[in-house]
């Protein structure tokens, strides 16, 4: 196992598209979404057991979730848990981790991954990541794992690549972050676009150069902390640093602009589990196409996903293509093909009913 390999798990999001199951005080990455006995965060950490030494795994999360991370990953030291004072999207998150790890090991090769993705083919995943790490260690490249799209999803970045024969890693031709539905359908129909999985691999010096060139305002903020990372002064510095950072994604801020982006195609049974439909897609269905998690009785109901508390009997009749989700003090019933309205529901619940419901 290579001591220069580091893994950064991004675990600070709220997951509002998965409401009401994912809540501000307990987001979905801390839930056992798939009924495996492990939370999404725990599963993600375990996924890298054969990729990096345990002391080289870092989690970036919101300061409000520190106790949850420590409870679920007790093997981590305090220095392996990076606490964001406020969410500023993925670019500041990755910059923070990159500058901190660069102080520990200037030759580090990084894998950056969300905490709430599903990978069904573990062996394939491990091999793909190791191939990408080998390439990143040799060349100044920023690599993302690409997934063949199955639907015109507007929540993903799309990658068009140059298909070079005898090369596992393809140079990216265009990179489009979260297109509208019409454009996403065009990408799907063309057959030469893949989803950006949001799993990145690069050498730490490569990503720091990219920040310096394309997000200099972010780079300048975090460079000021070079003498505080991995010291008792780190958290105070980070609190000040985040107050100076704008909200910007790594995709928009860097990946769409650089000319050394590559994609490694990966058939690894991937899902980002960002929405109810994604959970429905990967789960086993009953004979009527329903996905059930809870104490549920169904009549004349098909192609639904139902996730409700196990201590409450739920009886449904006459539904087709619906999401029925209950958690804590919220019950949501929504058509599957209109799940994009979930964010609207969350905003309305916050403004009309108060923060207790989000």
């Amino acid at each position: 196992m290579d001591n220069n390999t580091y893994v950064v798990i991004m675990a600070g999001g709220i997951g509002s598209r998965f409401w009401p199951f994912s809540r501000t005080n307990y987001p979905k990455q801390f839930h056992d979404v798939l009924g495996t006995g492990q939370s999404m965060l725990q599963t993600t950490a375990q996924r890298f057991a054969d990729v990096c030494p345990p002391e080289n795994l870092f989690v970036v999360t919101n300061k409000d979730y520190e106790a949850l991370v420590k409870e679920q990953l007790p093997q981590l030291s305090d220095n392996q848990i990076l606490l964001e004072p406020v969410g500023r999207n993925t670019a500041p998150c990755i910059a923070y981790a990159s500058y901190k790890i660069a102080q520990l090991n200037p030759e580090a090769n990084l894998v950056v991954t969300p905490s709430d993705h599903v990978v069904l083919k573990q062996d394939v995943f491990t091999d793909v990541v190791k191939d990408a790490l080998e390439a990143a260690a040799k060349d100044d490249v920023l690599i993302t794992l690409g997934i063949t799209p199955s639907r015109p999803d507007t929540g993903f970045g799309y990658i068009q690549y140059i298909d070079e024969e005898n090369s596992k890693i393809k140079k990216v031709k265009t990179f489009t972050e979260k297109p509208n539905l019409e454009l996403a359908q065009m990408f799907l129909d063309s057959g030469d676009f893949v989803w950006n999985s949001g799993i990145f691999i690069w050498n730490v010096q490569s990503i720091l150069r990219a920040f310096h060139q394309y997000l200099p305002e972010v780079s300048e903020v975090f460079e000021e902390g070079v003498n505080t990372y991995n010291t008792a002064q780190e958290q105070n510095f980070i609190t000040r640093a985040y107050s100076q950072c704008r909200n910007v994604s790594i995709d928009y801020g860097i990946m769409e602009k650089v000319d050394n982006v590559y994609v490694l195609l990966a058939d690894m049974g991937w899902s980002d589990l960002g929405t109810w439909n994604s959970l429905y897609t990967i789960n086993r269905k009953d004979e009527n196409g329903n996905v059930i998690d809870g104490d549920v009785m169904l009549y004349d109901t098909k192609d639904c996903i139902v996730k409700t508390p196990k201590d409450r009997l739920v009886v449904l009749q006459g539904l087709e293509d619906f999401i029925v989700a209950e958690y804590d003090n919220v019950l949501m019933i929504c058509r599957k093909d209109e799940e994009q309205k979930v964010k609207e529901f969350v905003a309305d619940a916050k403004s009309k009913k108060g923060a207790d419901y989000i």
Side-chain angles (χ1 to χ4, degrees):
M1 193 174 295
D2 189 348
N3 288 327
N4 285 340
T5 297
Y6 290 74
V7 171
V8 177
I9 300 176
M10 299 181 290
I14 296 173
S16 59
R17 291 185 296 166
F18 212 60
W19 186 81
F21 189 67
S22 187
R23 307 291 279 272
T24 302
N25 64 346
Y26 208 93
K28 73 169 186 274
Q29 61 265 29
F30 300 108
H31 287 275
D32 178 10
V33 175
L34 298 176
T36 62
Q38 286 190 319
S39 71
M40 301 295 293
L41 174 62
Q42 290 170 319
T43 300
T44 302
Q46 181 62 35
R47 188 174 299 143
F48 292 93
D50 294 329
V51 173
C52 80
E55 64 271 18
N56 288 8
L57 187 143
F58 290 79
V59 174
V60 188
T61 192
N62 188 282
K63 62 180 177 54
D64 293 340
Y65 306 143
E66 179 181 11
L68 283 170
V69 173
K70 288 183 173 182
E71 176 188 343
Q72 296 195 359
L73 297 177
Q75 70 271 28
L76 298 185
S77 68
D78 287 350
N79 198 47
Q80 291 171 269
I81 304 173
L82 286 62
L83 301 176
E84 297 182 295
V86 63
R88 285 290 184 261
N89 215 317
T90 52
C93 165
I94 291 171
Y96 175 16
S98 299
Y99 277 96
K100 178 182 173 72
I101 292 172
Q103 290 300 106
L104 292 171
N105 183 349
E107 299 180 1
N109 300 305
L110 308 185
V111 183
V112 180
T113 180
S115 58
D116 53 359
H117 289 187
V118 171
V119 172
L120 300 178
K121 301 177 182 179
Q122 176 65 47
D123 291 345
V124 173
F125 173 80
T126 300
D127 290 343
V128 165
V129 167
K130 288 182 176 179
D131 285 344
L133 283 164
E134 183 179 351
K138 293 178 180 178
D139 299 307
D140 181 19
V141 292
L142 306 181
I143 300 171
T144 182
L145 303 187
I147 311 296
T148 301
S150 59
R151 59 187 183 277
D153 199 303
T154 60
F156 298 147
Y158 284 72
I159 296 167
Q160 185 181 31
Y161 60 89
I162 300 170
D163 192 6
E164 299 170 343
E165 291 185 8
N166 303 319
S167 175
K168 291 182 180 179
I169 300 177
K170 318 285 188 180
K171 186 168 178 57
V172 170
K173 184 177 181 181
T174 61
F175 191 111
T176 306
E177 169 68 354
K178 296 181 180 179
N180 60 35
L181 184 60
E182 182 180 1
L183 194 55
Q185 186 64 59
M186 288 174 58
F187 290 165
L188 186 68
D189 293 342
S190 74
D192 58 356
F193 283 79
V194 293
W195 284 334
N196 169 26
S197 68
I199 301 172
F200 304 106
I201 299 95
W202 42 54
N203 180 269
V204 71
Q205 299 303 330
S206 295
I207 191 62
L208 292 184
R209 279 192 293 270
F211 270 108
H212 182 74
Q213 183 172 355
Y214 295 98
L215 284 176
E217 71 278 15
V218 174
S219 178
E220 290 169 7
V221 166
F222 287 97
E223 279 180 357
E224 291 179 7
V226 291
N227 295 320
T228 67
Y229 296 120
N230 308 297
T231 73
Q233 288 74 47
E234 178 178 321
Q235 198 59 51
N236 286 336
F237 166 74
I238 288 301
T239 299
R240 295 195 305 273
Y242 268 70
S243 69
Q244 301 172 58
C245 288
R246 64 186 174 98
N247 188 307
V248 58
S249 73
I250 195 73
D251 306 283
Y252 178 78
I254 290 180
M255 302 300 281
E256 289 186 20
K257 299 172 181 176
V258 296
D259 59 5
N260 61 333
V261 180
Y262 288 76
V263 61
L264 179 52
L265 307 190
D267 178 15
M268 56 191 187
W270 175 89
S271 172
D272 83 326
L273 270 198
T275 64
W276 286 105
N277 260 315
S278 62
L279 181 60
Y280 176 83
T281 299
I282 70 166
N283 263 285
R284 181 177 300 176
K285 284 81 172 171
D286 67 13
E287 63 274 14
N288 294 309
N290 298 303
V291 172
I292 305 299
D293 184 359
D295 188 3
V296 181
M297 297 171 60
L298 300 180
Y299 301 87
D300 306 318
T301 293
K302 63 180 182 179
D303 301 330
C304 292
I305 179 167
V306 184
K307 191 172 181 65
T308 55
K310 291 179 171 56
D311 61 355
R312 183 191 301 276
L313 175 63
V314 175
V315 182
L316 301 176
Q317 189 274 332
L319 292 185
E320 181 176 350
D321 286 314
F322 270 84
I323 302 162
V324 179
E326 181 182 5
Y327 183 77
D328 195 14
N329 55 357
V330 176
L331 167 66
M332 182 190 74
I333 303 172
C334 172
R335 295 198 62 86
K336 286 218 315 283
D337 60 1
E338 296 189 55
E339 69 165 356
Q340 71 275 10
K341 291 186 176 180
V342 171
K343 281 202 168 187
E344 179 184 333
F345 300 159
V346 174
D348 287 348
K350 182 178 182 180
S351 64
K352 298 176 181 178
K353 299 295 182 180
D356 288 346
Y357 294 94
I358 61 162

